[in-house]
Amino acid sequence: MPILSKLLKKKQKQRKNDNYRQQQDPQKPENLPILREYKDNISRIKGEFGNSNDIVIREIVHCKHRGALVYVDGLVDSRAISDFILESFNENDIDTDGMDYFQFMTEKAVALGSNEVIHDWNQVYDMLLSGNTIIFLEGYNKAISGETKGWEKRAITEPSTQLSIRGPKDSFTETLRTNTALLRRRIKSPNLWLESMRIGTVSQTDIAIMYIKGIANEKIVKEVKDRLKRINIDSISSSGYIEQLIEDQSWTTFPTTYHSERPDTVTSQLLEGRVAIIVDGTPFVITAPALFIQFFQAADDYYSRFDISTGIRLLRILAFIIALLGPAVYIAGTTFHQEMIPTTMAIAIAAQRENVPFPAFVEALIMEVTFEILREAGLRLPRAVGQAVSIVGALVIGQAAVQAGFVSPVMVIVVSITAIANFSTPVFAMAIAARLIRFVLMGLATILGFYGIMLGLMFMSIHLCSLRSFGIPYMMPIAPFNMRNQQDIFVRFPIWAMKYRPMFISKGNMVRSGENQKPGPPKQGDDNQSSKGES
Amino acid sequence: MRKIFVISLLMVLVLSVLSGCWNQKELTDLAFVMAMGFDKGENKKFEVSFQIVNPGNVSSGQNGAGQGLPIAVYKSAGNTLTEAARNATKMISRRLYYSHTNLIAISEEVARDGILDVMDALDRDPEFRTTTQIVVARHSTAEELVSALTNLDKLPVNKITKELKTTESMLGENTRVNIDDFLAGLVSNGKEPVVNGYIVKGNKEQIGRADDLQKTKTETFLEANGLAVFKNGKLTGWFEHEKARGVVYVLDKVQSTDINIPWNGKKHAITMAPIRTKTKVSVHFKNGKPIINIAIEDEGFISEANTDVDLTDPKVIEKIDKLVEKEIKQQVMESIKDAQKIKSDIFGFGERVHRANPKLWKKLKGNWDNQFAELKVNVKVDSYVRREGIRTNPFWFNMNK
Amino acid sequence: MEKAKIKASQMFILVVLFEMGSAILVGLGVQAKQDAWMAVLLGLMGGLLLFLIYYRLFKYYPDLPLTSYLQKITGKWIGGLLGLLYIIYFIYMATRVLRDFGELLTTTIYTSTPLIVINSLMILTIMYGIHKGFEVIARVGELYFGIVYFMAIAGIILISVSGLIHIEFLQPVFEYGWKPVVGTALKQTITFPFGEMVVFTMFLPFLNNHKKVKLACMGGMILAGINIAITAAINVATLGAELFTRSNFPLLTTIGKIQLANFIERLDVLFMLYLVVGGFFKISLYFYAAVAGTADLFKFKNHQMLSFPIGFIILFASVTIASNYAEHIKEGLDVIPVYLNWPLQIIIPCFLLVIAFLRNRKKKKTPSAS
């Protein structure tokens, strides 16, 4: 750990010495003004970008005024440029109405959605790289920036990792604007506030923070903003970076922020008072604060009826426990506590293990590691080859290993149950935590059987109870226990009974729904079918 | 601080891994002792037979159930149980493992001499279960009993334990007795233990031979047979058939059985099969002497009526009830009288007196055996025939018309 | 002192877990034979009275732990010495519980594992908890409270469904008169586990709502007492008084008797799960009291520093305090109650209360007179 922190410090020092432009810091030495001579400006751009040929510079002459358009090919909508900017320069017969030429061009001629007058080079680079077109005009020490953003976007597709049966089928994309729009479309309220910032000294990644004013806890919103502002790093490649930089604690396997690619999930989290962080270039939106139990709540829980979703949620928690303990219990049971296995079963297992050359732990380890390798390989392989891997895996692990007498059939059963149980955790980050801890517990089970497992679980629970997510205890509302917020924990109450928002997250506006929301049949003798509950 | 913590944690973990896993025992290194038999030794005090399961031959997995025998029996001698068990390791490649032991067999000889010397080892060992059943091998050695093979259940032990369970609830002449029950009876002043008898029937030459199992009618087989009565830790007598059933009745372990009653002069004409039986034993005191009241209540159905009887008549049913009551009462009274004869309070009447009147018990305790012999016992039976199968009157009824 | 704040419900749960901790495992009140459950209930009543003493003391000094107000009441030097005595007592009791715990595991399941390995792994886990602070321990308590109760209810259902409970084993009531029952209560059950509430004098200031102290602590004691009494009664009703007195760990024997459907049997492991949970909280709270007391007495700012040395003292003492289990138990039954529990749980607090009462009356009088 000390070595690591030393390295980090060194890096920070280094960074201070580097001459990176930094938007957040106004006192930049190279924050130069735009020059009057447009040719100088152009050569400056050429110099800065090293003659990169995707920087398109087009010189124009218009009513005796000379100038140049600069844009980055690929980031702009070329139709917008030709239709709205170039078109306006073709119009030679102009009536400036006594306006200054520059002002005229800005306000009248360039017919784009938004035009901006910019004065310094930082803004120029910013705008240019976000897909705007910069118009330099001879004799002015300022430039027009016209919004011509229009790069290739991926269409909104079905979510690929968090599937649902009844829920909406759209998912976030890599484009920040699309993502914010998806959320805006779901919450049509002016109280849905959006604040944006840029993080990454080099990458200048757009980040948007969204929350519902009046529901979200101001303190948490401020904390999120503070933590984001603190980030000083060259680039943000994905929301995973942000996640790791704003966590409360790094030394944990459990995720303390939630991420989702489903707009409906994020919407419901916003409505519970959480804060969403949207990072440009990542189809996963982070929400915070995140609680342990949240990772067992899937979108479908809310779309099917409460009894069914309660059952399924309990099943999911059971699956998590199996995924955590499966092989460890097998090892402990077969090497320490043979007395707890029913006699016939003990004899059956003993018979199967008779010819297995490895001790139970090694056997379990081999199988688990093999499975993890297969899983990882299946994830990385091109889709066409994936099939082959699963066939090979099934044959190697399932058939051949057993027939060769390397592993016992029981072990195969245990490993497969564990593996399948692991996939039933809705969020990958939590599933992988269970997977990692599983190996630790297997080790403990080998040393001390159930006592070891129990100590491991005790350790884990102390750790879980000590975690916080943006100041909120991670195990809330189980520990510390909160009666009022048990509506959506182990048992999902019917929607009409989930009257309150989780009080530890949102502040103030707690009530979700009106009185008497419980539906029922129409009152007797009432001819109109339009009773309150029916609709 | 944190560093020290992490380092010490790692140290302890590494230490514990390196220095070996003390209690770890792989399944394949264990010899599951399914049953133990105690016989009188020649030079040493005991000869202990260990019935060890051979897992590969029992379980019918993919590897194919072995053709071999499901069990192996080893015999070793020792003055104590531990000594015998340790001596046995000279013959067995695996560590003897007692957690799954389901049966303790004691030869009649050992039982008559007193078996107290093995009980503490069984009671004290954390691995051994005191819920293990105990039986006395009648007319044979315990070794023969644990060596016998059975054909329906692959594991002979399962046969015995399951059989005891079935016969207890279907016939009521035996009752399951485990080490705990046995010890509780030994220790108590006001109760003596009973233990099931088991008998190896048929040709003893064939015991433990696989080819015997190839026949539909094996030459040797095991059978539950009688209840052994103990007094002061020594076997003093046997109760059999109806008398054993009487004992089980008083112990409130009978669930179902068969009661034959005569009708119109024909013996065993009607059979009543109880489905529920409940026995209540209570004590009351008269002139400073305890009197035991036994109230048995059972309900059942008529399973056979081999005579001309009108079962549709409630009065007839009432009469059958009375006859059944008389029959049960007689069985119970006979067993009580027999027990009084040998002065062994196997019913736990003493404990009842103890609970009802601890002060009086203090006086009676010392001489309870004799007190028990003269104890007055009232038996009251209430029997109810609830239904009579899927026929109303037996065919005899119409045949004689 | 750590600036922890916990809720009344958390305090309640900690009291319950602490009281039940090891009391449920060992045969509590075996001297009273089949009346053990009554001895427990009598002990509970005595314990409640004792707690009222601690409560009055807390009322006088609502923001201070025991080690601080000892100095206020009896002066700096005597108070300091007494405080040290209490710290040693807490350490010793933590040691004893750890030993109990280790012995249980080594006699039942881990027969060939050295005691020190079992104990050191346990103490490491506890040290981690202490390191994380009191609030975290309280939260872990909440997490396990439900699990413990679930197991307890499952256990009771299993035992009764297996037909093991013979109510008549509880008779005759008062076979040897009331003397052994009262004697057991006075000698054992008042001080263990109910008098052990003295450790909570260190934690009462942590409660965020001082008005709820009585409710949380006494409620917890009553619930725990009833649970222990029920356990004792079930043990006797299952095993009979004779086997009950003969068992080192009656609950283990009781659970061992469960046999259901040829499948649910040999559930000793369930017992061990409870054992780890109960042992954890009992040792943790004693341990924490010792750590907090030391930090308070010697003015350490950071209590976490202390968890390590004190943890090691507890670990090594737990292996060395007795050379065999019989000695350990004998000490626990004969020496500890008379020479440690009675003075430290009952006599000293009584004296403290009297002095505090006199001092505070004087104080009250002076302003009213002036």
Side-chain angles (χ1 to χ4, degrees):
Chain A
M1 271 180 295
I3 303 170
L4 214 82
S5 57
K6 235 181 242 170
L7 273 176
L8 281 174
K9 260 180 213 157
K10 218 185 230 173
K11 241 186 196 166
Q12 274 168 5
K13 223 182 263 169
Q14 224 173 351
R15 186 165 307 138
K16 262 180 206 158
N17 299 339
D18 283 349
N19 288 329
Y20 287 129
R21 270 173 282 103
Q22 207 149 19
Q23 213 243 343
Q24 278 86 357
D25 199 344
Q27 279 144 4
K28 278 277 124 43
E30 69 278 48
N31 193 359
L32 301 169
I34 294 172
L35 303 173
R36 274 182 189 278
E37 192 60 43
Y38 85 96
K39 290 228 159 153
D40 292 345
N41 288 335
I42 287 171
S43 56
R44 194 187 162 89
I45 286 179
K46 278 184 178 163
E48 275 287 316
F49 282 99
N51 282 325
S52 305
N53 68 356
D54 60 338
I55 309 291
V56 180
I57 298 168
R58 194 194 146 136
E59 296 192 33
I60 39 170
V61 185
H62 182 233
C63 301
K64 289 174 228 152
H65 295 280
R66 294 174 72 86
L69 292 181
V70 184
Y71 61 88
V72 182
D73 197 17
L75 292 186
V76 295
D77 181 1
S78 44
R79 253 186 57 208
I81 293 176
S82 61
D83 285 4
F84 300 113
I85 302 179
L86 291 179
E87 195 65 23
S88 58
F89 285 108
N90 282 343
E91 198 109 344
N92 277 322
D93 191 19
I94 53 163
D95 177 15
T96 53
D97 254 350
M99 269 194 262
D100 173 47
Y101 176 69
F102 189 87
Q103 198 183 356
F104 173 76
M105 285 314 284
T106 318
E107 289 176 10
K108 291 262 165 85
V110 179
L112 284 167
S114 93
N115 285 337
E116 225 179 296
V117 180
I118 51 179
H119 295 93
D120 61 59
W121 278 100
N122 272 337
Q123 278 174 306
V124 169
Y125 293 129
D126 250 14
M127 296 294 180
L128 197 54
L129 292 172
S130 352
N132 282 15
T133 302
I134 312 288
I135 307 168
F136 294 109
L137 291 173
E138 173 77 69
Y140 294 98
N141 60 348
K142 47 193 176 182
I144 305 170
S145 154
E147 192 178 306
T148 51
K149 275 177 202 158
W151 51 80
E152 286 302 315
K153 293 183 212 172
R154 191 166 62 88
I156 295 172
T157 53
E158 276 196 42
S160 54
T161 59
Q162 294 172 321
L163 302 176
S164 114
I165 295 165
R166 267 197 74 177
K169 302 276 184 209
D170 54 352
S171 73
F172 290 120
T173 69
E174 282 78 4
T175 322
L176 181 87
R177 268 295 157 250
T178 316
N179 294 350
T180 55
L182 281 171
L183 292 176
R184 280 261 185 231
R185 254 175 53 199
R186 283 183 163 77
I187 305 173
K188 297 184 187 70
S189 158
N191 284 338
L192 177 63
W193 283 19
L194 189 152
E195 289 177 37
S196 57
M197 55 172 73
R198 287 200 165 173
I199 299 177
T201 45
V202 178
S203 74
Q204 293 288 316
T205 312
D206 284 303
I207 309 265
I209 305 163
M210 285 180 102
Y211 57 93
I212 300 181
K213 182 85 183 162
I215 294 178
N217 187 341
E218 295 294 334
K219 262 196 215 156
I220 293 174
V221 174
K222 193 174 169 294
E223 181 67 33
V224 170
K225 278 192 260 178
D226 287 349
R227 287 193 196 180
L228 285 174
K229 275 183 196 141
R230 211 181 46 85
I231 296 175
N232 183 351
I233 193 170
D234 59 346
S235 88
I236 300 290
S237 306
S238 147
S239 60
Y241 271 57
I242 298 279
E243 210 171 281
Q244 291 173 58
L245 289 166
I246 61 172
E247 279 172 332
D248 289 54
Q249 190 167 3
S250 288
W251 304 105
T252 176
T253 50
F254 294 98
T256 49
T257 52
Y258 189 87
H259 57 84
S260 175
E261 58 170 344
R262 299 183 60 86
D264 54 331
T265 307
V266 175
T267 308
S268 68
Q269 307 230 347
L270 285 172
L271 282 163
E272 284 184 347
R274 291 191 172 84
V275 182
I277 303 164
I278 309 165
V279 180
D280 193 37
T282 315
F284 287 92
V285 171
I286 304 170
T287 59
L291 306 180
F292 183 70
I293 197 72
Q294 201 180 335
F295 293 90
F296 298 95
Q297 300 168 336
D300 263 325
D301 285 1
Y302 305 94
Y303 305 142
S304 46
R305 280 200 359 270
F306 77 98
D307 42 359
I308 292 160
S309 38
T310 300
I312 290 174
R313 186 175 294 173
L314 292 178
L315 189 75
R316 235 176 261 140
I317 292 169
L318 178 75
F320 181 76
I321 294 170
I322 292 174
L324 206 60
L325 294 176
V329 167
Y330 172 78
I331 293 171
T334 55
T335 57
F336 279 89
H337 309 278
Q338 289 92 351
E339 77 275 0
M340 64 164 276
I341 314 174
T343 308
T344 8
M345 198 169 151
I347 292 171
I349 296 176
Q352 291 181 359
R353 288 196 41 80
E354 204 67 40
N355 297 317
V356 176
F358 309 111
F361 172 66
V362 177
E363 189 194 5
L365 198 67
I366 289 174
M367 288 300 285
E368 283 292 335
V369 170
T370 315
F371 170 74
E372 291 299 326
I373 292 171
L374 273 172
R375 191 194 53 76
E376 184 63 23
L379 209 64
R380 309 275 163 238
L381 275 170
R383 219 162 271 169
V385 199
Q387 281 272 311
V389 170
S390 57
I391 293 167
V392 169
L395 280 178
V396 168
I397 301 190
Q399 281 302 115
V402 170
Q403 274 179 355
F406 286 159
V407 290
S408 55
V410 207
M411 192 64 236
V412 177
I413 296 173
V414 171
V415 171
S416 6
I417 290 177
T418 316
I420 292 167
N422 198 237
F423 287 123
S424 68
T425 309
V427 182
F428 184 69
M430 184 54 87
I432 204 140
R435 203 175 285 159
L436 202 64
I437 294 169
R438 177 160 80 216
F439 283 96
V440 178
L441 288 176
M442 273 162 66
L444 285 169
T446 316
I447 304 166
L448 280 169
F450 270 108
Y451 177 53
I453 295 179
M454 199 55 211
L455 283 183
L457 287 181
M458 210 74 212
F459 227 90
M460 192 181 98
S461 13
I462 297 172
H463 178 71
L464 279 173
C465 286
S466 72
L467 283 181
R468 279 168 183 275
S469 173
F470 289 85
I472 307 291
Y474 194 49
M475 293 305 280
M476 196 97 183
I478 310 162
F481 187 77
N482 189 324
M483 198 61 217
R484 206 171 164 202
N485 291 324
Q486 295 297 314
Q487 296 160 338
D488 192 17
I489 306 302
F490 296 113
V491 176
R492 183 181 79 74
F493 281 41
I495 296 286
W496 49 265
M498 288 164 69
K499 225 182 141 202
Y500 302 102
R501 301 203 163 86
M503 62 186 275
F504 42 92
I505 296 173
S506 53
K507 273 276 141 70
N509 188 357
M510 296 297 302
V511 181
R512 256 175 205 269
S513 57
E515 297 293 324
N516 296 329
Q517 290 297 298
K518 187 179 176 183
K523 278 181 195 131
Q524 274 191 344
D526 193 359
D527 284 352
N528 287 338
Q529 284 279 306
S530 62
S531 77
K532 256 188 290 185
E534 278 292 307
S535 51
Chain B
M1 181 61 222
R2 189 177 195 137
K3 239 192 289 177
I4 303 174
F5 184 76
V6 171
I7 288 170
S8 62
L9 180 76
L10 285 177
M11 258 172 60
V12 170
L13 282 180
V14 167
L15 212 88
S16 46
V17 176
L18 288 182
S19 50
C21 309
W22 302 273
N23 273 87
Q24 200 191 33
K25 37 193 191 293
E26 289 288 335
L27 272 175
T28 44
D29 299 333
L30 297 179
F32 287 84
V33 177
M34 299 306 291
M36 282 194 277
F38 296 99
D39 286 302
K40 211 172 170 115
E42 281 166 20
N43 305 320
K44 306 264 179 153
K45 202 165 174 184
F46 298 112
E47 277 180 354
V48 185
S49 309
F50 299 92
Q51 185 195 87
I52 289 161
V53 71
N54 187 345
N57 291 343
V58 176
S59 130
S60 46
Q62 194 182 13
N63 305 348
Q67 295 302 306
L69 295 171
I71 52 164
V73 175
Y74 293 89
K75 190 162 93 173
S76 77
N79 286 322
T80 64
L81 178 53
T82 315
E83 187 187 335
R86 296 294 154 115
N87 281 340
T89 55
K90 287 194 282 193
M91 292 172 263
I92 305 168
S93 61
R94 302 179 179 190
R95 176 191 185 286
L96 290 174
Y97 188 65
Y98 301 98
S99 272
H100 289 278
T101 308
N102 281 333
L103 186 76
I104 295 291
I106 298 160
S107 74
E108 211 175 331
E109 205 183 354
V110 174
R112 285 197 192 279
D113 270 6
I115 49 170
L116 300 185
D117 287 345
V118 292
M119 296 317 284
D120 188 62
L122 301 179
D123 194 25
R124 187 175 297 281
D125 190 64
E127 204 171 282
F128 188 83
R129 301 283 151 170
T130 46
T131 46
T132 302
Q133 305 275 312
I134 180 168
V135 298
V136 174
R138 232 179 143 180
H139 310 311
S140 67
T141 60
E143 185 195 0
E144 283 165 339
L145 185 69
V146 297
S147 315
L149 290 171
T150 52
N151 49 10
L152 217 54
D153 297 277
K154 266 197 166 169
L155 285 175
V157 166
N158 279 357
K159 174 208 152 85
I160 294 177
T161 51
K162 277 188 199 167
E163 191 170 85
L164 280 174
K165 194 176 173 185
T166 320
T167 187
E168 179 189 272
S169 63
M170 296 299 287
L171 182 64
E173 285 178 13
N174 291 85
T175 176
R176 282 176 295 164
V177 178
N178 61 31
I179 304 271
D180 270 338
D181 302 331
F182 183 71
L183 278 176
L186 278 183
V187 174
S188 167
N189 289 317
K191 191 178 181 180
E192 296 291 349
V194 286
V195 174
N196 289 300
Y198 245 87
I199 207 164
V200 187
K201 281 214 166 159
N203 185 358
K204 289 197 180 165
E205 294 287 303
Q206 290 290 331
I207 288 175
R209 292 184 59 154
D211 51 352
D212 194 24
L213 291 182
Q214 302 299 318
K215 301 169 188 163
T216 54
K217 191 171 167 295
T218 52
E219 281 186 37
T220 58
F221 57 91
L222 300 170
E223 186 194 272
N225 191 306
L227 279 179
V229 177
F230 280 74
K231 196 178 162 187
N232 302 328
K234 285 178 184 170
L235 194 153
T236 50
W238 290 90
F239 276 51
E240 280 172 81
H241 304 300
E242 275 86 8
K243 281 183 190 159
R245 194 191 299 174
V247 176
V248 181
Y249 256 121
V250 180
L251 293 174
D252 191 20
K253 293 281 173 65
V254 175
Q255 215 176 59
S256 178
T257 178
D258 62 289
I259 308 285
N260 297 339
I261 53 168
W263 193 260
N264 286 345
K266 186 180 178 187
K267 270 190 172 180
H268 315 303
I270 300 176
T271 304
M272 188 268 210
I275 46 171
R276 270 183 288 277
T277 313
K278 181 87 199 136
T279 309
K280 278 187 185 142
V281 181
S282 58
V283 193
H284 76 267
F285 300 90
K286 207 173 175 185
N287 303 330
K289 291 227 163 174
I291 296 169
I292 306 288
N293 298 312
I294 299 171
I296 299 172
E297 205 182 288
D298 70 328
E299 49 183 309
F301 61 98
I302 289 178
S303 64
E304 276 180 57
N306 298 318
T307 181
D308 173 11
V309 56
D310 183 7
L311 292 176
T312 53
D313 184 0
K315 284 203 178 120
V316 172
I317 299 290
E318 230 166 82
K319 204 177 162 199
I320 294 173
D321 285 345
K322 287 276 160 335
L323 287 167
V324 171
E325 284 164 16
K326 204 177 130 196
E327 176 68 26
I328 295 176
K329 184 172 173 175
Q330 193 195 337
Q331 287 182 9
V332 171
M333 283 311 285
E334 266 177 41
S335 0
I336 292 174
K337 268 185 199 134
D338 273 28
Q340 285 179 328
K341 245 179 246 163
I342 54 170
K343 295 186 180 178
S344 179
D345 181 6
I346 47 180
F347 311 106
F349 291 154
E351 287 197 346
R352 305 271 172 186
V353 175
H354 178 190
R355 276 175 211 135
N357 194 340
K359 274 184 195 154
L360 180 67
W361 174 247
K362 261 183 206 163
K363 275 184 237 159
L364 299 178
K365 194 160 69 173
N367 194 20
W368 178 246
D369 287 349
N370 294 325
Q371 293 281 342
F372 170 72
E374 288 152 22
L375 201 61
K376 190 170 178 325
V377 182
N378 298 321
V379 180
K380 185 171 165 283
V381 184
D382 286 310
S383 180
Y384 304 98
V385 169
R386 297 289 187 206
R387 49 196 71 87
E388 45 282 317
I390 57 168
R391 295 285 175 270
T392 50
N393 285 329
F395 64 88
W396 300 79
F397 193 74
N398 293 337
M399 212 165 80
N400 294 1
K401 284 267 153 82
Chain C
M1 285 292 285
E2 193 189 0
K3 291 264 174 296
K5 276 284 169 251
I6 65 168
K7 291 188 296 178
S9 60
Q10 290 178 319
M11 183 65 96
F12 172 82
I13 285 167
L14 282 182
V15 171
V16 175
L17 287 172
F18 174 81
E19 291 286 281
M20 296 206 314
S22 53
I24 259 180
L25 307 176
V26 298
L28 193 64
V30 283
Q31 294 88 338
K33 298 224 162 138
Q34 64 264 47
D35 297 330
W37 61 278
M38 269 192 283
V40 172
L41 288 183
L42 265 182
L44 170 64
M45 280 171 215
L48 288 175
L49 286 178
L50 270 182
F51 183 75
L52 283 178
I53 298 175
Y54 309 147
Y55 179 67
R56 293 305 308 171
L57 283 170
F58 165 72
K59 276 291 218 190
Y60 285 127
Y61 305 98
D63 298 320
L64 295 178
L66 176 71
T67 40
S68 291
Y69 66 67
L70 271 174
Q71 296 182 29
K72 294 244 176 189
I73 294 174
T74 57
K76 195 153 190 228
W77 281 104
I78 302 176
L81 273 176
L82 279 176
L84 197 63
L85 192 66
Y86 269 103
I87 290 165
I88 294 169
Y89 173 67
F90 292 149
I91 293 178
Y92 179 68
M93 289 311 278
T95 305
R96 280 198 67 82
V97 180
L98 185 62
R99 175 64 180 254
D100 275 338
F101 170 87
E103 282 291 347
L104 212 167
L105 284 178
T106 44
T107 43
T108 53
I109 301 168
Y110 297 94
T111 39
S112 43
T113 311
L115 190 63
I116 183 130
V117 175
I118 301 259
N119 283 3
S120 57
L121 284 172
M122 184 71 184
I123 204 82
L124 268 179
T125 314
I126 292 168
M127 265 151 64
Y128 182 62
I130 301 283
H131 187 80
K132 291 285 180 191
F134 195 71
E135 279 181 28
V136 170
I137 295 176
R139 269 184 234 151
V140 178
E142 278 178 302
L143 203 59
Y144 277 92
F145 188 68
I147 298 172
V148 165
Y149 255 75
F150 176 74
M151 284 198 304
I153 290 167
I156 289 175
I157 290 174
L158 286 176
I159 290 171
S160 37
V161 170
S162 311
L164 293 170
I165 294 184
H166 306 279
I167 297 291
E168 67 266 19
F169 285 167
L170 288 170
Q171 292 169 323
V173 181
F174 289 132
E175 185 179 0
Y176 307 97
W178 51 270
K179 269 186 198 153
V181 178
V182 175
T184 312
L186 280 181
K187 197 173 166 192
Q188 194 189 34
T189 48
I190 277 191
T191 55
F192 172 74
F194 301 107
E196 291 184 304
M197 282 299 288
V198 73
V199 84
F200 274 81
T201 52
M202 298 295 298
F203 308 136
L204 291 181
F206 288 152
L207 199 65
N208 62 2
N209 186 350
H210 283 178
K211 277 179 195 152
K212 286 189 177 163
V213 164
K214 227 166 159 181
L215 186 76
C217 291
M218 292 176 84
M221 284 172 78
I222 291 170
L223 182 64
I226 290 171
N227 286 341
I228 298 167
I230 289 175
T231 311
I234 287 180
N235 283 339
V236 174
T238 311
L239 306 174
E242 189 274 327
L243 186 54
F244 174 64
T245 45
R246 214 150 41 80
S247 301
N248 266 345
F249 310 107
L251 187 61
L252 179 71
T253 316
T254 305
I255 291 176
K257 291 195 96 173
I258 295 174
Q259 274 180 316
L260 206 65
N262 281 328
F263 189 80
I264 303 170
E265 49 186 1
R266 309 183 172 104
L267 295 171
D268 303 16
V269 170
L270 249 186
F271 175 76
M272 204 180 61
L273 299 188
Y274 173 74
L275 177 74
V276 175
V277 176
F280 175 84
F281 286 103
K282 191 129 194 180
I283 303 168
S284 285
L285 290 181
Y286 269 128
F287 189 174
Y288 192 87
V291 168
T294 317
D296 182 53
L297 202 62
F298 299 102
K299 306 276 179 283
F300 278 98
K301 274 207 184 105
N302 189 357
H303 79 281
Q304 292 177 342
M305 262 168 55
L306 290 166
S307 67
F308 202 72
I310 293 182
F312 265 73
I313 294 172
I314 293 175
L315 173 60
F316 289 115
S318 77
V319 189
T320 45
I321 49 170
S323 56
N324 55 45
Y325 190 54
E327 185 187 332
H328 177 69
I329 286 293
K330 188 83 182 157
E331 278 170 6
L333 287 181
D334 293 343
V335 184
I336 308 294
V338 182
Y339 297 102
L340 273 177
N341 285 348
W342 264 86
L344 285 164
Q345 293 176 359
I346 303 173
I347 299 168
I348 294 179
C350 281
F351 273 115
L352 286 179
L353 185 63
V354 172
I355 301 170
F357 176 70
L358 293 175
R359 284 200 174 203
N360 281 280
R361 202 176 55 173
K362 222 189 282 169
K363 237 187 242 168
K364 250 183 215 160
K365 262 188 183 169
T366 13
S368 62
S370 61

